[in-house]
Amino acid sequence: MISNVRKYDTGIHVEGLDLGKLHCCMKAQSLEACCAYVLIVTAVYWVSEAVPLGAAALVPAFLYPLFGVLKSSEVAAEYCKDTTLLLMGVICLAASIEKWNLHKRIALRMVMIAGAKPGMLVLGFMCCTVFLSMWLSNTSTTAMVMPIAEAVLQQLIMVNELLKKRQIQEANPEDKWEHNKQTTIHDSTHLQRSRLNENSTAISIPEPKKEKESKNSRYPTKRDHMICKCLSLSITYAATIGGLITITGTSTNLIFAEQFNNRYPDAKVINFGTWFIFSFPIAIIMLLLTWVWLHFLFLGCNFRETCSLSKKRKTRREMLSERKIHDEYIKLGPISYPEVVTGVFFILMTLLWFTREPGFVPGWTSLFEKKGYRTDATVSVLLGFLLFLIPARRPFSRAPRTPAGDSSTERDPDPMAPMITWKDFQNLMPWEIVILVGGGYALAAGCKVSGLSVWIGRQLEPMSGLPPWMVTLLACLLVSAVTEFASNPATLTVFLPILSALSETLQINPLHTLIPATMCVSFGVMLPVGNPPNAIVFSYGHVQISDMVKAGFGVNLIGVLVVMLAIMTWGVPLFNLTEYPDWAIARNFTGSL
C-alpha cells in the first residue's frame, strides 16, 4: 500500500485519488458557504432595516476579507463604479432644476394645459410627474409635485365650500332671518346668565349641544375627498412609472445596468437608447391604464363629465381653480436666464445620451479613434461640471435674474456665482443609495468569485421544463410581492444573481428575466412602506392604507401584465431574445474555469 502513495508538488495521490484536487474542492465549497452567509446576513439587515440600508451595504466590505472571499482592495473597488459618476452628473442637473424653479414652471404649465376638470387635472399632474421622474429620483419628484397638488386641492376645497354656502343661502332665503333670531336668543340667554351670576343665584342654564363634526369634516363633500385621494395616489404611481423610462430614472435601473455589465462584459446591448426604446411604450400604456383605473375607482365611469375640455361644461369652481393655477404661474414671472441654461443643458444631455451609440446608425463616439472609453457617465459628469463653472448671471447684464420672490443679493451676493454650488449638489446627492448600489456590486462579485451563483443555478435545474415566459412571469410575481415589504434596491440586489444563474442554467437569454424583474421591483405601491413616494403621499392624510392597498393592487397587476406584454413582443427583436447569446455562453465558459 505504501508503494501506491506518491508525492507530488501539487498534492498526494493515493490509489488514483487526487488529494490536492479534493482539498481545492473543499476549499471552493467553503467559499460558497461563506459567500452565502454574507449574502444572507446582508439580506436580513436590508429586509428588517435594523440598521440603515447604507450601513447594511457595508457588511460585505469587512466580511468578505475576513472570510477570504475577496481582498479588501477588490471589495473597495466595487463601491465606486461608472454608474456612480453617472448619478453624480444627473444630480448636478437636478440641483439646477430645483434651485431655479424650472420644475415648478413645467408642472404649472402642464396643469394649465390640462384644465381643472377632475379627470383632466389628474391626467395633467400624472404626465408632469412622469416627465420629471424620468430625470429626477422618484422621491424628489414626488416631494416637488405634491406641494403643488396640495395647493390646487386646497383651492378646490375652499372654492367648493364657498359655493356650497352660497347655494344653501340661495335655496333657503329664510336662513338669514333664522340666523338673526338665533343670535338674538343667544344674546338674551347670555344676559340672563350674567344677571343670575350677579345675584349669586345657583341656577344653571344648559348650553345648547354642539353637533359633532363629521368624519370627513375636512372635505365639504365626499366627491372632494375622492378627488383628493385620486390626485394624491396618481402622483406616487406616476413617479414610479416615470422612473422606469430611463436608466437614471431610479436606483434599481442603475443597479441592474451595472451588475449586468459586470457579469456580462461582452454584452453591448444595454445603454440609454435601447432601454428608452423598450421602456417608453411600457410607461405610456401604464400611464393610461393607471389613470383609467384610478378614475374608475375614485371618480366613477362618467369620463365625459370629468374629462371634457369644452368651456361650456366647466363649472364655476373649475373656472376659479384654473384662475388660481394661472395666478401661481404668473407669480413665477418671465423665464429667467438660469432656467434657460438649465433647459439647454437638459436637452443637450438627453441628445448626447441618445446619439452616443443609437445602434441603428453610428453614434458620435465613432468620431474618436479609441472605442469603448466614453459612456453615458462621461456626458453626465462633463455637463454637471460645467454647471459649477457657468455664472448664473446673464453676460453683460446689470443684474442677474433669479427665481420669483427672490433677489440676487439674498441668494448669491457674488455676481459671478455659478449655476449651482457644492452645497446645492450635496443637499440632493443620495450617498446612501450610492453605498447601497456599491454593496450590491460587492455581493455580486463575491457570488461570482466563490462560485455561489453557479451552485444556485444548478439547484434550479428542475425548472428547465418550464417555457421562458413562465419563468419570467414567476420571477415578476415573486419580485413584486417581496418588494412590498422590503426596499426596492435591496430586493433587486438579492434577486439579480439568482435570476442570472437561473437563466444560464435554463439556456435562455438572461435579459428575458432580468429586465422584467428590474421593472417589477418598482411596483411596491400597495403600502406606505413600499417606497418613499408612497410614504410622502400618505403623510398628507388624504388616503388611508385600505385605499393604497386597493388602488395599488390594480396598479401592480397592470404593471406586471404590461411588462410581460413588452418582453414578449417588441422586446424580442430589440434584444434578440429568441437566441441564447454568445456573451452568455462566454460567461458560462469563464465561470466554469
Side-chain angles (χ1 to χ4, degrees):
M1 297 293 296
I2 297 178
S3 60
N4 292 332
V5 178
R6 294 166 295 172
K7 291 185 178 181
Y8 291 92
D9 293 336
T10 58
I12 302 176
H13 290 265
V14 180
E15 295 184 349
L17 180 63
D18 193 339
L19 296 182
K21 291 184 179 180
L22 179 61
H23 174 71
C24 293
C25 183
M26 293 176 62
K27 183 179 179 181
Q29 291 180 353
S30 65
L31 282 179
E32 293 174 1
C34 292
C35 183
Y37 174 78
V38 176
L39 180 63
I40 292 173
V41 170
T42 308
V44 168
Y45 276 125
W46 275 338
V47 173
S48 64
E49 297 189 19
V51 296
L53 296 178
L58 296 174
V59 170
F62 60 85
L63 284 187
Y64 274 165
L66 291 177
F67 290 158
V69 178
L70 287 173
K71 296 180 180 180
S72 182
S73 58
E74 295 173 341
V75 179
E78 300 294 331
Y79 280 85
C80 186
K81 293 288 187 179
D82 184 67
T83 50
T84 305
L85 299 178
L86 176 66
L87 180 62
M88 292 175 68
V90 173
I91 293 299
C92 290
L93 181 61
S96 183
I97 291 174
E98 281 196 33
K99 181 176 181 178
W100 303 107
N101 284 334
L102 182 59
H103 65 290
K104 189 174 183 180
R105 184 179 297 275
I106 295 173
L108 290 175
R109 189 63 184 176
M110 295 190 71
V111 174
M112 288 171 58
I113 295 173
K117 285 284 185 181
M120 297 307 297
L121 184 66
V122 171
L123 183 60
F125 266 102
M126 290 184 73
C127 293
C128 171
T129 306
V130 166
F131 178 76
L132 293 176
S133 187
M134 289 169 57
W135 318 104
L136 311 178
S137 71
N138 299 352
T139 305
S140 298
T141 302
T142 306
M144 291 177 191
V145 178
M146 196 60 201
I148 301 174
E150 181 67 13
V152 174
L153 289 174
Q154 293 303 322
Q155 183 67 19
L156 289 174
I157 292 174
M158 182 184 67
V159 172
N160 197 24
E161 286 179 345
L162 294 175
L163 292 177
K164 187 178 179 180
K165 291 180 180 179
R166 187 177 301 175
Q167 290 173 359
I168 293 176
Q169 292 178 359
E170 293 175 356
N172 301 315
E174 297 180 357
D175 285 351
K176 185 176 181 180
W177 181 83
E178 291 288 340
H179 175 74
N180 294 334
K181 181 179 178 181
Q182 292 176 3
T183 304
T184 304
I185 294 173
H186 180 269
D187 292 341
S188 62
T189 304
H190 179 74
L191 180 61
Q192 293 176 9
R193 184 180 291 110
S194 61
R195 288 176 178 176
L196 289 172
N197 291 335
E198 291 175 359
N199 299 328
S200 302
T201 305
I203 298 175
S204 62
I205 299 177
E207 295 185 1
K209 296 182 179 180
K210 295 182 179 179
E211 295 183 358
K212 294 182 179 180
E213 293 182 358
S214 61
K215 183 179 180 181
N216 295 328
S217 59
R218 173 181 181 183
Y219 311 97
T221 63
K222 183 179 179 181
R223 181 172 178 80
D224 288 322
H225 193 188
M226 292 296 105
I227 293 175
C228 292
K229 288 182 179 181
C230 186
L231 184 56
S232 299
L233 290 175
S234 68
I235 290 175
T236 181
Y237 298 153
T240 298
I241 294 171
L244 302 176
I245 299 179
T246 60
I247 285 288
T248 59
T250 182
S251 59
T252 52
N253 295 353
L254 291 171
I255 292 173
F256 159 74
E258 189 62 34
Q259 287 205 17
F260 179 81
N261 291 330
N262 281 350
R263 189 179 183 93
Y264 307 104
D266 296 333
K268 306 297 182 182
V269 292
I270 297 298
N271 53 49
F272 186 89
T274 55
W275 184 272
F276 184 89
I277 294 172
F278 176 76
S279 59
F280 186 74
I282 295 177
I284 296 298
I285 298 173
M286 280 195 65
L287 174 66
L288 295 177
L289 293 181
T290 301
W291 174 69
V292 171
W293 166 246
L294 292 177
H295 194 291
F296 167 76
L297 200 61
F298 296 106
L299 303 179
C301 299
N302 193 353
F303 289 88
R304 184 177 181 181
E305 178 184 349
T306 60
C307 303
S308 175
L309 295 177
S310 175
K311 294 184 178 180
K312 297 180 180 180
R313 294 181 177 270
K314 291 183 179 179
T315 63
R316 187 183 303 177
R317 182 184 68 173
E318 292 164 355
M319 295 177 67
L320 291 175
S321 299
E322 289 183 358
R323 189 182 305 169
K324 175 65 175 178
I325 296 172
H326 185 265
D327 292 342
E328 290 293 327
Y329 185 81
I330 294 298
K331 289 180 181 178
L332 294 176
I335 188 168
S336 62
Y337 172 74
E339 289 180 88
V340 174
V341 174
T342 303
V344 170
F345 270 58
F346 174 81
I347 296 173
L348 185 61
M349 182 179 291
T350 306
L351 290 177
L352 290 176
W353 277 346
F354 264 112
T355 57
R356 182 177 65 87
E357 289 180 356
F360 51 91
V361 293
W364 55 265
T365 54
S366 61
L367 301 176
F368 296 89
E369 182 178 356
K370 293 184 178 181
K371 309 299 180 183
Y373 281 77
R374 290 146 290 275
T375 64
D376 291 338
T378 309
V379 175
S380 177
V381 174
L382 172 61
L383 296 182
F385 175 74
L386 291 178
L387 289 173
F388 289 98
L389 289 178
I390 298 177
R393 181 173 180 174
R394 187 196 302 269
F396 309 109
S397 64
R398 295 182 179 180
R401 289 290 188 90
T402 56
D406 200 359
S407 63
S408 60
T409 56
E410 293 176 353
R411 176 177 290 271
D412 290 318
D414 184 8
M416 295 301 293
M419 290 288 296
I420 60 173
T421 62
W422 186 257
K423 185 178 180 181
D424 299 326
F425 168 78
Q426 187 73 13
N427 290 336
L428 278 187
M429 185 62 190
W431 293 111
E432 184 181 30
I433 296 298
V434 172
I435 298 175
L436 180 63
V437 173
Y441 301 154
L443 287 176
C447 292
K448 178 180 178 181
V449 172
S450 65
L452 179 62
S453 58
V454 177
W455 180 86
I456 294 175
R458 290 171 181 170
Q459 309 310 309
L460 299 174
E461 287 181 355
M463 297 181 63
S464 58
L466 296 177
W469 68 268
M470 180 63 71
V471 176
T472 302
L473 179 60
L474 292 176
C476 291
L477 294 176
L478 179 61
V479 167
S480 60
V482 173
T483 194
E484 293 290 349
F485 308 96
S487 70
N488 300 349
T491 303
L492 187 66
T493 303
V494 171
F495 275 93
L496 278 181
I498 298 175
L499 294 177
S500 298
L502 173 62
S503 302
E504 295 168 5
T505 302
L506 302 182
Q507 297 287 299
I508 62 177
N509 194 318
L511 292 174
H512 204 294
T513 56
L514 298 182
I515 292 180
T518 301
M519 292 195 161
C520 289
V521 81
S522 297
F523 298 154
V525 293
M526 293 175 60
L527 296 172
V529 298
N531 54 48
N534 286 8
I536 293 174
V537 169
F538 184 76
S539 66
Y540 279 81
H542 296 301
V543 297
Q544 305 296 326
I545 293 181
S546 58
D547 299 320
M548 300 192 75
V549 171
K550 182 168 55 176
F553 178 79
V555 175
N556 203 330
L557 187 61
I558 289 172
V560 172
L561 294 179
V562 173
V563 169
M564 287 299 301
L565 172 66
I567 204 66
M568 299 299 295
T569 52
W570 64 84
V572 174
L574 182 62
F575 299 114
N576 195 18
L577 299 179
T578 56
E579 299 179 359
Y580 190 62
D582 294 336
W583 44 263
I585 297 175
R587 167 64 179 79
N588 281 344
F589 178 73
T590 55
S592 63
L593 293 179

